[in-house]
Amino acid sequence: EACAFAVGLIACVVAWYAQRPLVDTHVANGCPCPTNPMASVEGGHQMVSLEFFKCKDKYYQKLGEAWDHEVKDFVVLYRPMYHCSAKSGSFEAHLSATRSFKGWEQRFEPCTWADLPAEARAYVLHNPTCSFDPEWTLPSATIHVGPNLTASGCGTRSHETCPSAAPISAPTSTQAPIQTPPTALAALEEPQANVDTMFRMPSVGEIINRFDAMSPTASHRTEGQPSIQAPTLTPSPTMPPLEFFCADYCPFAQRVWIALKATGLPFVHTEVNLWCGALPTTKRFREVSPSKTVPTILEPNAEKGRDESVPLLFYVDASTGGSLSPADPAARYAMHILLAGPIPALVSAFYGFLGGWQRLSPTEVGRRAALNEALDTLERQLQQSGGPWLLGQGGMSIADIALFPFLERIYLGVLTWYRGYKLSQARHPRLYVWTAHCLHHEPVAATVWQVRS
């Protein structure tokens, strides 16, 4: 019986050994790696799930997510699965790198172990991350929570699912956390609570109060309500709605959103995740959008939609009787001049300064000067027209709608946050009042970032 037991035990050991995954190791960049790391994962060993990506003809392994103290937000940590030597004017030789989530999702496509060529597999790290904190109980991956909603008040991503519920170093306050406002205007007046004011952009309500404080006559508002009612179209019961494809962070999409709200044209709002092609809404959007960009409007029963923000502004306006275009030929001419020159110049200067475009200027001082010059031109336009709108007293026009999303981002501190740029209230007082006038206008208020968030 003892012999039979010993033989059986040996047979079990041999069988287990024969079925276990083989993990042959070699050295890549000085680090031991398995020849077939996925076999180890499938075999049940305590290893993390490996993530591989492809960009053009190169392969990369995502190592995790890291907090960047300079930009005050999370970035993707990854390594090239090839020997990455220095490239003139681009980067130094490196073993690992970081990239913003937006840049990562735009350029890198997921792939599997089976997709990797042999030369790429040689660079795989079988255990790229580990737990450095024995008390860590949060998920390993971050989620997008939007601005001002992280526990620290910094960045747009967090490991926590409800980070603003327990803010770090939050000021003492009796205000309740922000709830979804019942109306767009209520969102403007709602104070932003439970965030550290030292580490966040101001709320829309704070911006409006700042504008109102510098305008003693308050000529642009009436008891905190929109001073001008939007021209609206009474929808016909038989009028089918358009489908509006939008990404809430996109200023170009916001333009068309404002126009749809201002004219009352019936529409269905479809939010699109541009970087997740597997989602049904994204697949459908890519099928109907000519250039696969937002904004896109799809007419009922149409196979293809229409895109490009400025042409779509005219499309929406013409569909509702032209209420957003001045009847006076001279004013209409002035509107087209703004759309052809000063407003595109501001858009280019905004993105050039934010992204450090060399083609705008080789120096940051030059890019800052280009932005100020573009704002100066619009300030002079308001001086010439007399306000409160870009074309004067005639009401909100396509030019105002095309400009607002970018002024909103400037005044809410995007450039201050990333580039240390603070707009001069003394230099551009009319633009301050114009922005406040827009914020108190219901169609605009319905699309501001606090509502989008």
Coordinates of all heavy atoms in Angstrom, one line a residue, residues 291-354:
S291 N -16.4 63.5 -42.6 CA -15.0 63.6 -42.1 C -14.7 62.9 -40.8 O -13.6 63.0 -40.3 CB -14.5 65.0 -42.1 OG -15.3 65.8 -41.2
K292 N -15.7 62.3 -40.2 CA -15.6 61.6 -39.0 C -15.2 62.5 -37.8 O -14.3 62.2 -37.0 CB -14.7 60.4 -39.1 CG -15.2 59.3 -40.0 CD -14.2 58.2 -40.2 CE -14.8 57.1 -41.0 NZ -15.2 57.6 -42.4
T293 N -15.7 63.8 -37.9 CA -15.4 64.7 -36.8 C -16.8 65.3 -36.3 O -17.8 65.3 -37.0 CB -14.6 65.9 -37.4 OG1 -15.3 66.5 -38.5 CG2 -13.2 65.4 -37.9
V294 N -16.7 65.8 -35.1 CA -17.9 66.6 -34.6 C -17.6 68.0 -34.8 O -16.4 68.5 -34.8 CB -18.1 66.2 -33.1 CG1 -18.5 64.8 -32.9 CG2 -16.8 66.5 -32.3
P295 N -18.7 68.8 -35.0 CA -20.1 68.4 -35.0 C -20.5 67.8 -36.3 O -19.9 68.1 -37.3 CB -20.8 69.7 -34.8 CG -19.9 70.8 -35.4 CD -18.5 70.3 -35.2
T296 N -21.5 66.9 -36.2 CA -22.1 66.4 -37.4 C -23.6 66.4 -37.2 O -24.1 66.0 -36.1 CB -21.6 64.9 -37.7 OG1 -20.3 65.0 -38.1 CG2 -22.4 64.3 -38.8
I297 N -24.3 66.8 -38.2 CA -25.8 66.8 -38.2 C -26.3 65.8 -39.3 O -25.9 65.9 -40.4 CB -26.4 68.2 -38.4 CG1 -26.3 69.0 -37.1 CG2 -27.8 68.1 -38.8 CD1 -26.8 70.4 -37.2
L298 N -27.2 64.9 -38.8 CA -27.8 64.0 -39.8 C -29.3 64.3 -39.9 O -30.0 64.3 -38.9 CB -27.6 62.5 -39.2 CG -28.2 61.4 -40.1 CD1 -27.4 61.3 -41.4 CD2 -28.1 60.1 -39.4
E299 N -29.7 64.5 -41.1 CA -31.1 64.7 -41.4 C -31.9 63.4 -41.3 O -31.4 62.4 -41.6 CB -31.3 65.4 -42.8 CG -30.7 66.8 -42.9 CD -30.8 67.3 -44.3 OE1 -30.8 66.4 -45.2 OE2 -30.8 68.5 -44.5
P300 N -33.2 63.5 -41.0 CA -34.0 62.3 -41.0 C -34.0 61.5 -42.3 O -34.1 62.2 -43.4 CB -35.4 62.8 -40.7 CG -35.2 64.1 -40.0 CD -34.0 64.7 -40.6
N301 N -33.8 60.2 -42.2 CA -33.8 59.3 -43.4 C -32.6 59.6 -44.3 O -32.6 59.0 -45.4 CB -35.1 59.5 -44.2 CG -36.3 59.2 -43.4 OD1 -36.3 58.3 -42.6 ND2 -37.3 60.0 -43.6
A302 N -31.6 60.4 -43.9 CA -30.4 60.6 -44.7 C -29.4 59.5 -44.4 O -29.3 59.1 -43.3 CB -29.9 62.0 -44.5
E303 N -28.6 59.2 -45.4 CA -27.5 58.2 -45.2 C -26.2 58.9 -44.8 O -25.4 58.2 -44.1 CB -27.3 57.4 -46.5 CG -28.4 56.6 -47.0 CD -28.1 55.8 -48.2 OE1 -27.0 55.9 -48.8 OE2 -29.0 55.0 -48.7
K304 N -26.0 60.1 -45.2 CA -24.8 60.8 -44.8 C -25.2 62.1 -44.1 O -26.1 62.8 -44.5 CB -23.9 61.1 -46.0 CG -23.1 59.8 -46.5 CD -22.0 59.4 -45.5 CE -21.2 58.3 -45.9 NZ -20.2 57.9 -45.0
G305 N -24.3 62.5 -43.2 CA -24.6 63.8 -42.4 C -23.8 64.9 -43.0 O -23.2 64.8 -44.1
R306 N -23.9 66.0 -42.3 CA -23.1 67.3 -42.7 C -22.3 67.6 -41.5 O -22.7 67.5 -40.4 CB -24.1 68.4 -43.0 CG -25.2 68.1 -44.0 CD -26.1 69.2 -44.2 NE -27.3 68.9 -45.0 CZ -27.4 68.9 -46.3 NH1 -26.3 69.2 -47.0 NH2 -28.5 68.5 -46.9
D307 N -21.0 68.1 -41.8 CA -20.1 68.5 -40.7 C -19.5 69.8 -41.0 O -19.9 70.5 -41.9 CB -19.1 67.4 -40.5 CG -18.3 67.0 -41.7 OD1 -18.3 67.8 -42.7 OD2 -17.7 65.9 -41.8
E308 N -18.5 70.2 -40.2 CA -17.8 71.5 -40.2 C -18.7 72.6 -39.5 O -19.8 72.9 -40.0 CB -17.5 72.0 -41.6 CG -16.5 71.0 -42.3 CD -15.1 71.0 -41.6 OE1 -14.8 72.0 -40.9 OE2 -14.4 70.0 -41.7
S309 N -18.2 73.2 -38.5 CA -19.0 74.0 -37.6 C -19.6 75.2 -38.2 O -20.8 75.5 -38.1 CB -18.2 74.4 -36.3 OG -17.1 75.1 -36.7
V310 N -18.8 76.0 -38.9 CA -19.3 77.3 -39.5 C -20.4 77.0 -40.6 O -21.4 77.6 -40.6 CB -18.2 78.2 -40.0 CG1 -18.7 79.4 -40.7 CG2 -17.3 78.6 -38.8
P311 N -20.1 76.1 -41.6 CA -21.2 75.8 -42.5 C -22.4 75.3 -41.8 O -23.6 75.6 -42.3 CB -20.6 74.8 -43.4 CG -19.1 75.1 -43.4 CD -18.8 75.5 -42.0
L312 N -22.3 74.6 -40.8 CA -23.5 74.1 -40.1 C -24.2 75.2 -39.3 O -25.4 75.1 -39.2 CB -23.1 73.0 -39.0 CG -22.8 71.6 -39.6 CD1 -22.4 70.6 -38.5 CD2 -24.0 71.0 -40.3
L313 N -23.5 76.2 -38.9 CA -24.2 77.4 -38.3 C -25.1 78.0 -39.3 O -26.3 78.4 -39.0 CB -23.2 78.4 -37.8 CG -22.3 77.9 -36.5 CD1 -21.3 79.0 -36.2 CD2 -23.2 77.6 -35.4
F314 N -24.6 78.2 -40.5 CA -25.5 78.7 -41.6 C -26.6 77.8 -42.0 O -27.7 78.2 -42.3 CB -24.6 79.1 -42.8 CG -23.8 80.3 -42.6 CD1 -22.5 80.3 -42.2 CD2 -24.4 81.6 -42.9 CE1 -21.7 81.4 -42.1 CE2 -23.6 82.7 -42.7 CZ -22.3 82.7 -42.3
Y315 N -26.3 76.5 -41.9 CA -27.4 75.5 -42.3 C -28.5 75.6 -41.2 O -29.7 75.6 -41.6 CB -26.7 74.1 -42.3 CG -27.8 73.0 -42.3 CD1 -28.4 72.6 -43.4 CD2 -28.1 72.3 -41.1 CE1 -29.3 71.6 -43.4 CE2 -29.0 71.3 -41.1 CZ -29.6 70.9 -42.2 OH -30.5 69.9 -42.2
V316 N -28.2 75.6 -40.0 CA -29.2 75.7 -38.9 C -29.9 77.0 -39.0 O -31.2 77.1 -38.9 CB -28.5 75.6 -37.5 CG1 -29.5 75.9 -36.4 CG2 -28.0 74.2 -37.3
D317 N -29.2 78.1 -39.3 CA -29.8 79.4 -39.4 C -30.8 79.5 -40.5 O -31.9 80.0 -40.4 CB -28.7 80.5 -39.5 CG -29.2 81.9 -39.5 OD1 -30.2 82.2 -38.7 OD2 -28.7 82.7 -40.3
A318 N -30.4 79.0 -41.7 CA -31.2 79.0 -42.9 C -32.4 78.1 -42.7 O -33.5 78.4 -43.3 CB -30.4 78.6 -44.1
S319 N -32.3 77.1 -41.9 CA -33.4 76.2 -41.7 C -34.5 76.8 -40.8 O -35.6 76.2 -40.8 CB -32.9 74.9 -41.0 OG -32.0 74.2 -41.9
T320 N -34.2 77.9 -40.2 CA -35.2 78.5 -39.3 C -35.5 80.0 -39.6 O -35.8 80.7 -38.7 CB -34.7 78.4 -37.8 OG1 -33.4 79.0 -37.7 CG2 -34.6 77.0 -37.4
G321 N -35.2 80.3 -40.8 CA -35.6 81.7 -41.3 C -34.5 82.7 -41.2 O -34.8 83.9 -41.4
G322 N -33.3 82.4 -40.8 CA -32.2 83.3 -40.8 C -32.2 84.3 -39.6 O -31.7 85.4 -39.7
S323 N -32.6 83.8 -38.5 CA -32.7 84.7 -37.3 C -31.3 85.0 -36.7 O -31.2 86.0 -35.9 CB -33.6 84.0 -36.2 OG -33.0 82.8 -35.8
L324 N -30.3 84.3 -37.1 CA -29.0 84.5 -36.5 C -28.1 85.3 -37.5 O -26.9 85.5 -37.2 CB -28.3 83.2 -36.2 CG -29.0 82.3 -35.2 CD1 -28.3 81.0 -35.0 CD2 -29.1 83.0 -33.8
S325 N -28.6 85.8 -38.6 CA -27.9 86.6 -39.5 C -28.6 87.9 -39.7 O -29.8 88.0 -39.8 CB -27.9 85.9 -40.9 OG -27.2 84.7 -40.8
P326 N -27.8 89.0 -39.6 CA -28.5 90.3 -39.7 C -29.1 90.6 -41.1 O -28.5 90.1 -42.1 CB -27.3 91.3 -39.4 CG -26.1 90.5 -39.8 CD -26.4 89.1 -39.4
A327 N -30.2 91.3 -41.1 CA -30.8 91.6 -42.4 C -30.1 92.7 -43.1 O -30.1 92.8 -44.3 CB -32.3 92.0 -42.1
D328 N -29.4 93.6 -42.4 CA -28.7 94.7 -43.0 C -27.5 94.2 -43.8 O -26.7 93.5 -43.2 CB -28.3 95.7 -41.9 CG -27.5 96.9 -42.5 OD1 -28.0 97.6 -43.2 OD2 -26.3 97.0 -42.1
P329 N -27.4 94.6 -45.0 CA -26.2 94.1 -45.8 C -24.9 94.4 -45.2 O -23.9 93.6 -45.3 CB -26.4 94.8 -47.2 CG -27.9 95.1 -47.2 CD -28.3 95.4 -45.8
A330 N -24.7 95.6 -44.7 CA -23.4 96.0 -44.1 C -23.1 95.2 -42.9 O -22.0 94.8 -42.7 CB -23.5 97.5 -43.8
A331 N -24.1 95.0 -42.1 CA -23.9 94.1 -40.9 C -23.6 92.7 -41.2 O -22.7 92.0 -40.6 CB -25.1 94.2 -39.9
R332 N -24.3 92.2 -42.3 CA -24.0 90.8 -42.7 C -22.6 90.7 -43.3 O -21.9 89.7 -43.1 CB -25.0 90.4 -43.8 CG -24.9 89.0 -44.2 CD -26.1 88.6 -45.1 NE -27.3 88.6 -44.4 CZ -28.2 87.6 -44.4 NH1 -27.9 86.5 -45.1 NH2 -29.3 87.7 -43.8
Y333 N -22.2 91.8 -44.0 CA -20.8 91.8 -44.5 C -19.8 91.8 -43.4 O -18.8 91.0 -43.4 CB -20.6 93.1 -45.4 CG -19.1 93.3 -45.8 CD1 -18.6 92.7 -46.8 CD2 -18.4 94.2 -45.0 CE1 -17.2 92.9 -47.2 CE2 -17.1 94.5 -45.4 CZ -16.5 93.8 -46.5 OH -15.2 94.1 -46.8
A334 N -20.0 92.6 -42.3 CA -19.2 92.6 -41.1 C -19.1 91.2 -40.5 O -18.0 90.8 -40.0 CB -19.6 93.7 -40.2
M335 N -20.2 90.5 -40.4 CA -20.3 89.2 -39.8 C -19.4 88.2 -40.6 O -18.6 87.5 -40.0 CB -21.7 88.7 -39.8 CG -21.8 87.3 -39.2 SD -23.5 86.7 -39.2 CE -23.7 86.2 -40.9
H336 N -19.4 88.3 -41.9 CA -18.6 87.4 -42.7 C -17.1 87.7 -42.6 O -16.2 86.8 -42.6 CB -19.0 87.4 -44.2 CG -20.3 86.6 -44.5 ND1 -20.2 85.3 -44.7 CD2 -21.6 87.0 -44.6 CE1 -21.5 84.8 -44.9 NE2 -22.3 85.9 -44.8
I337 N -16.8 89.0 -42.4 CA -15.4 89.4 -42.2 C -14.9 88.8 -40.9 O -13.8 88.3 -40.8 CB -15.3 90.9 -42.2 CG1 -15.5 91.5 -43.6 CG2 -13.9 91.4 -41.7 CD1 -14.5 91.0 -44.7
L338 N -15.7 88.9 -39.9 CA -15.3 88.3 -38.6 C -15.1 86.8 -38.7 O -14.1 86.3 -38.1 CB -16.4 88.6 -37.5 CG -16.5 90.0 -37.0 CD1 -17.7 90.2 -36.2 CD2 -15.2 90.4 -36.2
L339 N -15.9 86.1 -39.4 CA -15.8 84.7 -39.5 C -14.7 84.3 -40.4 O -14.1 83.2 -40.3 CB -17.1 84.1 -40.1 CG -18.4 84.2 -39.2 CD1 -19.6 83.8 -40.0 CD2 -18.2 83.3 -38.0
A340 N -14.2 85.2 -41.3 CA -13.1 84.9 -42.2 C -11.7 85.3 -41.6 O -10.7 84.7 -42.0 CB -13.3 85.6 -43.5
G341 N -11.7 86.2 -40.7 CA -10.4 86.7 -40.2 C -10.2 86.7 -38.7 O -9.5 85.8 -38.2
P342 N -10.8 87.6 -38.0 CA -10.5 87.8 -36.6 C -10.8 86.5 -35.7 O -10.0 86.2 -34.8 CB -11.4 89.0 -36.1 CG -11.5 89.8 -37.4 CD -11.6 88.8 -38.5
I343 N -11.9 85.9 -36.0 CA -12.3 84.7 -35.1 C -11.4 83.5 -35.4 O -10.9 82.9 -34.5 CB -13.8 84.4 -35.3 CG1 -14.7 85.5 -34.7 CG2 -14.1 83.0 -34.6 CD1 -16.1 85.3 -34.9
P344 N -11.1 83.1 -36.7 CA -10.2 82.1 -37.0 C -8.8 82.4 -36.4 O -8.0 81.5 -36.0 CB -10.1 82.0 -38.5 CG -11.5 82.5 -38.9 CD -11.8 83.6 -38.0
A345 N -8.4 83.7 -36.4 CA -7.1 84.1 -35.9 C -7.0 83.8 -34.4 O -6.0 83.4 -33.9 CB -6.8 85.6 -36.2
L346 N -8.1 84.1 -33.7 CA -8.1 83.8 -32.3 C -8.1 82.3 -32.0 O -7.4 81.9 -31.1 CB -9.4 84.4 -31.6 CG -9.5 84.1 -30.1 CD1 -8.5 84.8 -29.3 CD2 -10.9 84.3 -29.6
V347 N -8.8 81.5 -32.8 CA -8.8 80.1 -32.6 C -7.4 79.5 -32.8 O -6.9 78.7 -32.0 CB -9.8 79.4 -33.6 CG1 -9.7 77.9 -33.5 CG2 -11.2 79.8 -33.3
S348 N -6.7 80.0 -33.9 CA -5.4 79.6 -34.1 C -4.4 80.0 -33.0 O -3.6 79.2 -32.6 CB -4.9 80.1 -35.5 OG -3.6 79.8 -35.8
A349 N -4.6 81.2 -32.5 CA -3.7 81.7 -31.5 C -4.0 80.9 -30.2 O -3.0 80.7 -29.4 CB -3.9 83.2 -31.3
F350 N -5.2 80.6 -29.9 CA -5.6 79.9 -28.7 C -4.9 78.5 -28.7 O -4.2 78.1 -27.7 CB -7.1 79.7 -28.6 CG -7.6 78.8 -27.5 CD1 -7.7 79.2 -26.2 CD2 -7.9 77.5 -27.8 CE1 -8.1 78.4 -25.2 CE2 -8.4 76.6 -26.8 CZ -8.5 77.1 -25.5
Y351 N -5.1 77.7 -29.8 CA -4.5 76.4 -29.8 C -3.0 76.5 -30.0 O -2.3 75.6 -29.4 CB -5.1 75.6 -31.0 CG -6.5 75.1 -30.7 CD1 -7.6 75.5 -31.4 CD2 -6.6 74.1 -29.7 CE1 -8.9 75.0 -31.1 CE2 -7.9 73.6 -29.4 CZ -9.0 74.0 -30.1 OH -10.2 73.5 -29.8
G352 N -2.5 77.5 -30.7 CA -1.1 77.6 -30.8 C -0.4 77.9 -29.5 O 0.7 77.3 -29.2
F353 N -1.0 78.8 -28.7 CA -0.4 79.1 -27.4 C -0.6 77.9 -26.4 O 0.4 77.6 -25.7 CB -1.1 80.3 -26.8 CG -0.5 80.8 -25.5 CD1 0.9 80.9 -25.4 CD2 -1.2 81.3 -24.5 CE1 1.5 81.4 -24.2 CE2 -0.7 81.8 -23.3 CZ 0.7 81.8 -23.2
L354 N -1.7 77.3 -26.5 CA -2.0 76.1 -25.6 C -1.1 75.0 -25.9 O -0.5 74.3 -25.0 CB -3.4 75.7 -25.7 CG -3.9 74.5 -24.8 CD1 -3.8 74.9 -23.3 CD2 -5.3 74.1 -25.1

